[in-house]
Amino acid sequence: MHASLGNACVTFMTDVISSSGEPDRFWSRIANELAEAIGQGVYAPGVRLPSEHSLAQQFGVNRHTIRRSLASLVQRGLVHAAQGRGTFVESFAVDLVLGKRTRHRHSLSHAGLRGGLQVLRACEVQAGLDEAQALHMDVGSALLYLQVLGEGASQPLHVSERWFPLPRFANLAEVVRSSGSITEAFAQHGVLDYMRLESRISARLPNKDVAEHLSQPITRPALLVTSVNVDLSNVPIEFSKAWFAGDRVTLTVNHHDS
């Protein structure tokens, strides 16, 4: 994520040896049994696993052993942990289309899902070299910065950093907060249609902040998509860097959408 923005914007796992002295045998066996249950559909996609306390009672071990078993399942991509809510079976891989008119809600509706965008951070920043080049502005120009979480079926799909020229989009953050839609925010700023000029896709390991937002370990690669959107006069209106959860998202590049 952008190194200089943390201060500018308003905004477990313990390896414990069990009392039996055979921690590996117990936690790995439990992890394998849970993985088999997931594979057999005992725990369906999207379902929350029993609590650590319930699993500890079920397998006759302490909660530290259960935590290690669940951490193993997270590393294997079978489940993800949502802080304060529990551990859930990975549920789906939604196909998001990257085309000339990429829209988050439109892609979700085609997949039969509901979702939107949540603003995590919003502030005014100065354009760095990358932002200035992408938006055809001078270094140091005023930009609106948003960090946004994209969700589908209550699952985090991507977290992104987005930069918009100021003062043109001065009230954009407020509209996105209320509507959950960049497209609607653009429309309220006079941009009724816009297109994606380019997208660059790479697979990288996420940092801690990104991994936490995507509910995945930092050891699991994510898809990084860097893109530029322009209005119908070909004027850049948005530069973004979006991290997609690689196990929940398939990205399709469509060169022929209208």
Side-chain angles (χ1 to χ4, degrees):
M1 308 292 280
H2 199 281
S4 64
L5 294 173
N7 296 326
C9 294
V10 179
T11 25
F12 124 122
M13 176 182 115
T14 303
D15 289 328
V16 178
I17 297 179
S18 68
S19 58
S20 68
E22 296 179 297
D24 290 345
R25 178 179 300 178
F26 284 110
W27 75 259
S28 61
R29 186 194 70 196
I30 293 168
N32 288 336
E33 288 190 21
L34 289 173
E36 184 177 352
I38 291 171
Q40 293 177 348
V42 176
Y43 301 114
V47 165
R48 184 175 66 182
L49 294 181
S51 68
E52 291 179 2
H53 178 72
S54 296
L55 289 173
Q57 289 187 324
Q58 176 183 335
F59 289 101
V61 297
N62 59 45
R63 293 176 64 177
H64 296 301
T65 300
I66 294 298
R67 286 171 187 161
R68 192 170 182 185
S69 302
L70 295 177
S72 174
L73 295 179
V74 170
Q75 294 289 338
R76 291 158 66 175
L78 296 177
V79 302
H80 71 275
Q83 187 173 7
R85 297 197 297 133
T87 302
F88 295 79
V89 178
E90 291 291 5
S91 56
F92 58 85
V94 59
D95 190 359
L96 298 180
V97 178
L98 299 181
K100 289 190 294 183
R101 287 177 169 82
T102 297
R103 309 290 189 263
H104 179 74
R105 282 186 174 174
H106 184 68
S107 294
L108 290 179
S109 64
H110 273 283
L113 302 171
R114 300 180 64 180
L117 301 177
Q118 175 187 352
V119 177
L120 302 177
R121 298 177 186 171
C123 56
E124 181 176 329
V125 298
Q126 294 183 337
L129 183 59
D130 289 347
E131 298 84 43
Q133 290 179 341
L135 296 172
H136 299 176
M137 303 176 71
D138 295 329
V139 173
S141 297
L143 301 176
L144 170 65
Y145 166 81
L146 298 184
Q147 184 186 40
V148 176
L149 180 67
E151 297 178 306
S154 300
Q155 297 277 356
L157 300 181
H158 62 84
V159 61
S160 60
E161 292 185 296
R162 299 166 181 259
W163 293 266
F164 307 87
L166 290 175
R168 184 176 183 181
F169 299 109
N171 299 314
L172 188 138
E174 287 73 13
V175 182
V176 178
R177 282 196 185 98
S178 61
S179 68
S181 170
I182 296 288
T183 300
E184 184 170 334
F186 276 146
Q188 292 197 28
H189 286 75
V191 181
L192 301 182
D193 195 11
Y194 61 98
M195 295 182 293
R196 179 156 296 197
L197 182 65
E198 67 176 18
S199 294
R200 297 183 180 182
I201 306 173
S202 60
R204 301 184 186 180
L205 293 176
N207 62 27
K208 182 179 179 181
D209 183 54
V210 170
E212 287 180 351
H213 286 307
L214 294 180
S215 296
Q216 70 169 62
I218 60 175
T219 54
R220 187 187 303 170
L223 298 174
L224 174 61
V225 179
T226 302
S227 59
V228 177
N229 286 329
V230 297
D231 62 19
L232 296 186
S233 297
N234 210 38
V235 176
I237 58 174
E238 177 186 12
F239 173 55
S240 70
K241 295 180 180 180
W243 293 85
F244 289 82
D247 57 343
R248 277 166 253 151
V249 173
T250 297
L251 296 178
T252 297
V253 180
N254 184 352
H255 299 286
H256 306 290
D257 61 339
S258 57

